[in-house]
């Protein structure tokens, strides 16, 4: 039985300390703040990030440095036979494609398996824990990759954006649309199903946006996943920086899904960079080994 290391990036939202406890390895994502490089969870924490973001600092996400990726693989292969690397979705970054090309190098071929299962943040987090579970069960890296790819579209995220400022800043909406949306006090609801971040609905209030997201999740359970009760699904709440608002949203979701243990975690900084503080999200992931 081969010894398999599970590696992901900090887009999963798994902290360095949490990774150590779980036996999972975390590659910190780089950010440029006013042209200076920082690494998530190394010298850039949630508090510092949001302080700089709300101050209007120029923040850019970046893919991991190639040498950082391959050095990590080399380090892990000294202790493990194989590595499963789960980066953020290829639909949101080129880092996954780059990692796949690097893995074809003879030094890493059939030793490092890059998994593009089209996830980010809390759903990526769940797939990483799934991979660790499978590794602990004795699955090979190739077997783990195959299972995760079979599951890659069995997840869903809905995100309410509290302010249009950051979507405008990132070029995802025009200044005119942002101005009109701000005037009308719109709360856009975005959707991630598969590889893309898309517009889903527009709400006039936070309350309405929450209702839209919860109703959308109920519909996904019944129609996409053929599991109206959601018994075969993990249910998650994510947020950008406002913990109290997230707790309130979790309680409201619990009223609609009383049989679920709802996991709550911050959205990864790479997502927060584009949507800003005050965002709330509901997400689900299929439980591996249960009917789809």
């Amino acid at each position: 039985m081969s010894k398999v290391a599970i590696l992901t990036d900090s887009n999963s939202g798994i902290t360095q300390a949490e990774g150590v406890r779980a036996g999972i390895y975390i590659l910190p994502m780089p950010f440029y703040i006013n042209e200076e490089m920082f690494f998530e969870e190394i010298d850039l924490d949630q508090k510092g990030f949001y302080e700089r973001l709300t101050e209007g600092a120029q923040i850019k996400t970046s893919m991991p440095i190639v040498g950082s990726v391959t050095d990590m693989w080399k380090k892990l292969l000294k202790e493990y036979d194989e590595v499963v690397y789960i980066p953020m979705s290829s639909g949101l970054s080129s880092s996954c494609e780059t990692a796949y090309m690097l893995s074809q190098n003879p030094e890493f071929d059939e030793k490092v398996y890059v998994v593009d299962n089209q996830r980010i943040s809390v759903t990526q987090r769940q797939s990483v824990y799934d991979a660790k579970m499978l590794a602990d069960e004795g699955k090979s890296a190739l077997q783990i990759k195959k299972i995760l790819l079979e599951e890659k579209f069995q997840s869903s995220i809905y995100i309410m954006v509290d302010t249009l400022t950051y979507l405008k800043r990132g070029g995802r909406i025009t200044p005119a649309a942002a101005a009109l949306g701000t005037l009308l006090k719109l709360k856009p609801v975005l959707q991630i199903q598969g590889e893309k971040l898309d517009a889903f609905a527009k709400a006039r209030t936070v309350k309405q946006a929450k209702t839209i997201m919860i109703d959308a999740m109920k519909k996904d359970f019944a129609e996409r996943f053929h599991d109206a009760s959601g018994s075969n699904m993990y249910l998650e709440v994510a947020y950008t920086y406002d913990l109290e608002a997230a707790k309130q949203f979790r309680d409201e979701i619990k009223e609609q899904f009383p049989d679920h243990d709802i996991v709550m975690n911050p959205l990864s900084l790479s997502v927060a960079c584009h949507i800003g503080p005050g965002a709330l999200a509901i997400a689900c992931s299929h439980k591996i080994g249960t009917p789809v």
Side-chain angles (χ1 to χ4, degrees):
M1 183 177 74
S2 62
K3 189 177 179 183
V4 181
I6 305 301
L7 172 66
T8 188
D9 58 42
S10 57
N11 287 303
S12 65
I14 301 174
T15 66
Q16 296 291 330
E18 187 181 357
V20 169
R21 291 193 296 269
I24 294 166
Y25 298 89
I26 314 297
L27 189 68
M29 292 298 292
F31 289 79
Y32 286 91
I33 302 179
N34 295 335
E35 306 303 325
E36 183 180 357
M37 181 182 282
F38 295 85
F39 289 90
E40 186 169 4
E41 270 283 306
I42 302 299
D43 53 7
L44 180 64
D45 60 12
Q46 291 263 331
K47 183 175 183 293
F49 171 84
Y50 284 107
E51 285 176 352
R52 303 297 293 275
L53 186 68
T54 55
E55 289 168 359
Q58 184 182 31
I59 301 180
K60 297 179 182 178
T61 56
S62 177
M63 60 183 285
I65 299 169
V66 168
S68 298
V69 177
T70 54
D71 286 350
M72 177 66 84
W73 292 351
K74 291 175 185 177
K75 178 181 177 181
L76 291 175
L77 287 172
K78 291 179 180 179
E79 182 179 351
Y80 296 86
D81 302 307
E82 300 174 310
V83 175
V84 173
Y85 179 41
I86 308 170
M88 70 184 293
S89 169
S90 63
L92 300 170
S93 170
S94 60
S95 60
C96 186
E97 183 180 358
T98 299
Y100 177 76
M101 289 190 294
L102 292 171
S103 72
Q104 302 307 296
N105 185 296
E107 184 178 6
F108 304 117
D109 189 33
E110 296 187 355
K111 295 180 182 178
V112 175
Y113 292 81
V114 178
V115 180
D116 180 17
N117 68 336
Q118 308 291 342
R119 297 191 183 186
I120 190 170
S121 200
V122 289
T123 55
Q124 179 184 351
R125 173 194 182 91
Q126 185 57 54
S127 65
V128 173
Y129 275 98
D130 288 340
K132 176 60 175 170
M133 175 189 71
L134 294 169
D136 290 345
E137 291 175 354
K139 298 286 194 298
S140 69
L142 182 59
Q143 288 173 317
I144 294 169
K145 178 175 180 176
K146 181 180 178 181
I147 292 169
L148 293 184
L149 290 179
E150 289 172 349
E151 292 281 333
K152 72 177 183 178
F153 293 125
Q154 305 303 317
S155 68
S156 190
I157 304 177
Y158 296 93
I159 306 172
M160 180 211 75
V161 178
D162 188 55
T163 171
L164 299 175
T165 300
Y166 302 94
L167 290 174
K168 180 188 73 173
R169 187 181 294 177
R172 293 184 179 270
I173 61 173
T174 66
L180 179 61
T182 301
L183 180 65
L184 297 176
K185 298 182 179 180
L186 294 180
K187 304 293 182 185
V189 175
L190 309 179
Q191 176 188 44
I192 302 177
Q193 286 186 358
E195 64 179 19
K196 293 183 179 179
L197 177 66
D198 293 316
F200 179 73
K202 296 176 184 176
R204 295 297 295 271
T205 65
V206 171
K207 181 179 180 180
Q208 185 183 23
K210 290 178 180 179
T211 299
I212 288 170
M213 291 190 289
I214 291 172
D215 287 348
M217 191 58 67
K218 288 180 179 178
K219 184 176 181 181
D220 280 352
F221 278 6
E223 298 181 8
R224 281 193 67 211
F225 305 117
H226 310 291
D227 181 16
S229 69
S231 59
N232 297 331
M233 307 297 295
Y234 295 107
L235 193 58
E236 301 135 337
V237 170
Y239 62 98
T240 54
Y241 207 50
D242 192 339
L243 178 59
E244 291 307 312
K247 288 179 178 178
Q248 182 179 339
F249 188 37
R250 178 193 59 192
D251 292 343
E252 293 168 8
I253 294 171
K254 185 69 173 177
E255 291 178 2
Q256 301 297 317
F257 300 96
D259 296 330
H260 278 77
D261 293 324
I262 301 171
V263 177
M264 187 170 68
N265 287 289
L267 282 163
S268 59
L269 297 187
S270 57
V271 175
C273 187
H274 297 290
I275 62 177
L280 294 171
I282 182 171
C284 71
S285 306
H286 177 246
K287 295 178 182 178
I288 286 178
T290 63
V292 178

